[in-house]
Amino acid sequence: MSPAHSRSPARPVRAALLGLACGAWFTLAQAGVVEAYFPDPRAMSDVRDANGFNADVEKPLGDYLRTLGDKLLGDRRLVINVIDVDLAGQLEPVGPRQEMIRVLRSHTWPRIELRYQLSDANGVGLRSGEVRLIDTDYLSNARLAGATDPLRYEKQMLKEWFMREFTER
């Protein structure tokens, strides 16, 4: 068997792998892109944990917005500046040791203020705005009540806004 003949079965495999890789790249290039920024976290209303340190909200909320973009934006691009985060509930001293825990009450709504700019795949601006999201009825969502994600109410509020604002009409 000649050396050229013995390599021929590998060529279609390599070509198929190259085709899959190019297809995966094209699919990624077509996915929506979200860039989430938190320009001044220290100025936010409620991003402190029980000990007064910055609560970890930037990464989980930024990652969540990127996930929503991957699913819902198509080939559009969204830049979001999160101006303020006020988490659901309020830190209160509880128990004999007066430990600070987040207590959820009907009047301690989650709030997020943000600015956004949506553009198409070519960078042409489609729309922009400033939004203040507030969920005054967050405790009535029974589906979220048993969830363990500490940012479940904020994520749900962002998801509902994202669906209203950026899904194709």
Side-chain angles (χ1 to χ4, degrees), residues 34-48:
V34 173
E35 294 178 32
Y37 300 100
F38 295 77
D40 191 5
R42 294 178 198 208
M44 292 190 186
S45 297
D46 191 14
V47 292
R48 304 260 183 240

Side-chain angles (χ1 to χ4, degrees), residues 66-86:
R66 283 184 278 284
T67 299
L68 290 173
D70 288 345
K71 293 179 184 176
L72 302 172
L73 282 180
D75 61 351
R76 297 173 292 173
R77 180 172 179 244
L78 180 64
V79 177
I80 297 177
N81 285 301
V82 179
I83 307 304
D84 195 13
V85 175
D86 188 354

Side-chain angles (χ1 to χ4, degrees), residues 30-34 64-76 118 158-168:
Q30 294 297 318
V33 174
V34 173
Y64 187 70
L65 287 166
R66 283 184 278 284
T67 299
L68 290 173
D70 288 345
K71 293 179 184 176
L72 302 172
L73 282 180
D75 61 351
R76 297 173 292 173
L118 180 68
L158 286 168
K159 180 181 178 182
E160 290 171 3
W161 168 72
F162 211 100
M163 299 284 289
R164 278 192 316 269
E165 193 66 32
F166 303 115
T167 53
E168 298 295 328

